[in-house]
Amino acid sequence: MESAGNVLLASSPAAVVEMGSGGVRRNPTLICTPIMADFVDKMLILMGEAKAMGADLVEIRLDSLKNFNPNSDIKTLILNSPLPTLFTYRPMWEGGQYDGDEKPRLDALRLAMELGADYIDVELKAAYEFNNLLHGNKPAKCKLIVSSHNYQHTPTVEELGNLVARVQAAGADIVKIATTALDISDVARIFQITVHSQVPIIGLVMGERGLISRILCAKFGGYLTFGTLDSGVVSAPGQPTIKDLLDLFNFRQIGPDTRVFGIIGKPVGHSKSPVLYNEAFKSVGFNGVYVHLLVDNLANFLQIYSSTDFAGFSCTIPHKEAAVKCCDEVDPVAKSIGAVNCIIRRQNDGKLFGYNTDYVGAISAIEEGLRASQNVSNTVSSPLAGRLFVVIGAGGAGKALAYGAKEKGARVVIANRTYERAKELADTIGGEAVSLADLENFHPEDGMILANTTSIGMQPKVDETPVSKNALRSYSLVFDAVYTPKITRLLKEAEESGATIVTGLEMFIGQAYEQFERFTGLPAPKELFQKIMSKY
C-alpha cells in the first residue's frame, strides 16, 4: 500500500463552518448520536439529552424498540425530535437486532422517508429492493445513506474503492462504510478513501484500534461520526461519547490543517495524556489534536502514517525500546538509556527524532519529594547524591530512572523478575543487580529510595504490589511510575510505613512539560498542567 501519510492530505476541502455558540467550527463533519431504547418515550428523552450535549442529529435505531408500531411510532419520533433524524432498522445479518422478514422492515424505512425523516440508512444488500419499493418517489428532503459493514477486517484500498463504487451505484446520496480494525494501520486505508471521495462519505473503523477514524474523520472530510450518550451504550464497537468528542478531543476545532499527535502504547485506553495535551493545545490556541493510538507494531505504524501531519508521538509501554530503532536520529541521552518516549517528525523532511523526557520528569519529582521531606531548599547538589536508589524493572522506564539517578550521583540497584535483565542494565550503568524476590530481605542500610517502573498495581489489577509492606520499612522515599490509580497499593503501604511518597502523576506532569514544548515550539503552560491533573 502507498504510505497513507503521503496520500492522505491533499484534497480535503478547507471547511470553516460557523458554530452555533459563536465560535468557529473548522469542519462540517456532523456528530450523530445513536438512540437505542425499548420504548418510544425513552427514545424521546434520549433525543433531548443528545441535543443538550451538542449532537447535530440522532440515529433512531428502530430495531431496538420492543413493541414497534411503524405508523404511530415513526410519526411521534419525527414530530417530537429536537434534532434532524436518521432512521436505521438494522437486521441481524448486518449486526442489528431485527430478526424478521425484509418487506415490513423496508416498508417501515420507506414510511419514515414519507413522514419527513432527514436521512434513511439502508444496507447495500437491501438497497436495490428498497429502491424498487420507492418507484422513483423519493422525497427531495430525505438523503439515502447506503451502508456496508464488515465485522471481520478492513479490505485493501482497491477493494474499498470498488465497494464505494458499488454503494454509489445502489443509489446512495451518502456512502457509508464501516470496517473492523485488526491493526491501527487499517484506518489509514479508510482515510485514503475518505479524503479522495467525490461523494459525501462516512468512513469508520470499528474496535479500539479504529478509534482515530471516529475523531480524525473531521480532518479528512468524513460526512459524520457517531458519539454516544454514555460510554457503555454503543451501537458499534469503539464509539466515543459525544462528551469525549467535544470536550476531550475538541472535535469542532479539527480541520484539514490540524496536526495530529498521540500516545502510542498497548494498552493505551487508560492514558490521561489526551486530556492534558488537548486542553493545553486549546488554551494556547495551537491547532493540534492528541489521540490514543493502540499500536501493535511500531515500525509499521510510523511507516504507514508518514505524513508530516502526524507530527509527534509520546511513546509508552511496550514500545519505548523499539522506538530507538525506528527513529532517524536519537538524542544522546535517550540513546544511552536505550529508550525513547517522545518522537518528533521534522516538518521540512519528515525525519523522525527520538528523545527521552521520562527520566527528567521522574528524577525531578523524586528530588522535590526528598527536598520537601528534609525541608531543604534547592541546593546546588542533588539530594540523591550518595543515596542508595533501588529501581524495580529493567524496561524503558527502568533504564531511564537508573540512568537519571546515576547521573545525580546515587548508587543504583536494579531489581527485576528475571535477574539476567537486571544484571544487563546494572552492568551498563555501573550498578548492582538483584532479583525481585531478593528485595524482600534486601536491607543494606536505612533511608533507601525505591522506584517502581513496572505496571504492577496498575488498573485493573490494583491489589497487586511489587514488594511486601514488610520490606518497605527500610525506605525513606517510595516512587511509583503507575498513575492509574494515583495512589497504588505500593504507595499506600509505603506511606503507612512512614516513607515519603511520590506519585506517577508527578512524573507524568514533569515529562509532559518537555514533550509539549517539543510538539508545539511553545513554552509549557505549567500551572495549567498542574490544574488539569489535580482532578485525577
Side-chain angles (χ1 to χ4, degrees), residues 146-186:
V146 175
S147 60
S148 163
H149 295 77
N150 184 327
Y151 290 97
Q152 277 70 51
H153 65 112
T154 300
T156 64
V157 169
E158 192 181 356
E159 288 165 337
L160 287 170
N162 294 338
L163 179 59
V164 170
R166 291 212 319 274
V167 173
Q168 254 183 287
D173 296 311
I174 298 165
V175 170
K176 178 184 174 191
I177 293 177
T179 65
T180 299
L182 302 178
D183 188 276
I184 195 167
S185 59
D186 297 345

Side-chain angles (χ1 to χ4, degrees), residues 408-482:
K408 297 288 187 176
R411 296 169 291 135
V412 180
V413 174
I414 312 292
N416 197 50
R417 272 189 182 142
T418 49
Y419 175 76
E420 291 71 34
R421 282 205 72 182
K423 182 88 174 82
E424 200 180 313
L425 175 55
D427 289 349
T428 310
I429 59 143
E432 273 184 72
V434 295
S435 78
L436 191 52
D438 292 339
L439 274 194
E440 281 310 303
N441 305 309
F442 184 74
H443 182 175
E445 60 190 67
D446 283 329
M448 300 187 291
I449 293 158
L450 182 69
N452 173 42
T453 69
T454 70
S455 57
I456 299 170
M458 187 165 98
Q459 273 167 354
K461 299 181 177 175
V462 293
D463 48 355
E464 293 185 0
T465 180
V467 288
S468 73
K469 187 172 180 178
N470 189 39
L472 292 172
R473 290 186 303 215
S474 319
Y475 297 93
S476 61
L477 182 143
V478 175
F479 161 80
D480 198 337
V482 171

Side-chain angles (χ1 to χ4, degrees), residues 367 371 377-385 408:
E367 287 180 325
R371 288 194 179 106
S377 60
N378 286 2
T379 48
V380 182
S381 71
S382 166
L384 287 174
K408 297 288 187 176

Side-chain angles (χ1 to χ4, degrees), residues 103 114 121 230 237 241 243 249 255 270 312 315 320 326 328 350 389:
K103 189 166 183 323
E114 287 165 5
D121 178 323
D230 299 309
T241 61
K243 189 173 174 2
F249 298 112
H270 65 281
C315 225
K320 294 182 185 191
C326 295
D328 297 296
F389 193 106

